[in-house]
Amino acid sequence: MNIKKVAVVGAGTMGVQIAMRVAISGYKVSCYGIKNETIDEKKKAEAFSNDWFFKKITKGKMTEEAVAESKSNLKFTTDLAEAVKDADLVIEAVAEILDVKRSVLKQVDELTPEHTIFATNSSYIVSSKLCDVVAHPDKVLNLHFFNPALVMKLVEVVKGPHCSRETVETMVKFVESINKVPAIVNKEIYGFIVNRIFSAITKEACYIYDQGVASFEDIDKAVKYGLSHPMGPFELLDMTGIDLEFNVLTEKYKMTGNPSDKPSPAIVERYARGEYGRKAKKGFYQYK
């Protein structure tokens, strides 16, 4: 495995945590974030990173030396060319919108060496829908981390029909090297393993709530104490992001045209109000 430099494209909730986890594991990492009139991903990512590392020191979870080394491995930038230059691996963590991901991959392919592996962190969009915009489709695959990426151990490694076995094997070793547990998905399928199962639960939970059968609080209690899940489906939606769920389902509806794939009214209402969950301090629940 010749992965030495890693670039993460997208410095939102997932991107910054993936970049930090990789840096802590000893890799040199550049994390690219957008900056415009309303959004400064780089500034938010740096603030999150500094606060997280400071808390690790104060709680005795990391030494000052370990934090200093991790920080030295991690660089945030708003210059895409600088971020991906000479990268052996690029992990894309931008919005869950097909056209956006295709555009990003096309730009990155023009800025990176021929040997670079491109891994999309998409939780639903399969890499075969992206690989035709690059020169070497055999080096494109899904590398799906889970939120929060600094905590959750699982990473789904998804092989499309275009992807080489060598690329998959390299990514499995990389996932293990950053102290994560790889689960290989040998065939592309919508939602892969975890989200396919989670989507079925979430869809039914939203239906029960939309029909007025039970409150979202009681549905969460039923799932936690009846099925022994650590979190209820609405708590989990708040954590992963209601905006992400809205975008995922909207993209699926565009793809299938099936009305049953549209986002639930409960999701649409909160998305329209900007109540995206924990990151917005309000979703199904309110957060201080």
Side-chain angles (χ1 to χ4, degrees), residues 135 173 233:
K173 291 177 183 177

Side-chain angles (χ1 to χ4, degrees), residues 39-103:
I39 302 172
D40 190 340
E41 282 189 340
K42 177 177 179 286
K43 186 176 180 181
K44 289 182 179 179
E46 287 177 330
F48 174 86
S49 174
N50 289 333
D51 182 60
W52 188 89
F53 280 122
F54 175 75
K55 288 178 179 176
K56 287 295 178 183
I57 292 174
T58 57
K59 293 179 180 178
K61 299 291 182 67
M62 291 181 72
T63 65
E64 291 186 11
E65 292 76 15
V67 166
E69 183 178 353
S70 297
K71 282 188 170 185
S72 71
N73 289 334
L74 180 59
K75 181 179 181 181
F76 295 100
T77 179
T78 55
D79 186 332
L80 181 61
E82 179 187 357
V84 304
K85 181 183 178 183
D86 299 326
D88 302 304
L89 168 64
V90 175
I91 301 173
E92 167 270 307
V94 301
E96 195 77 356
I97 299 171
L98 179 59
D99 289 344
V100 174
K101 291 183 181 295
R102 286 176 61 84
S103 175

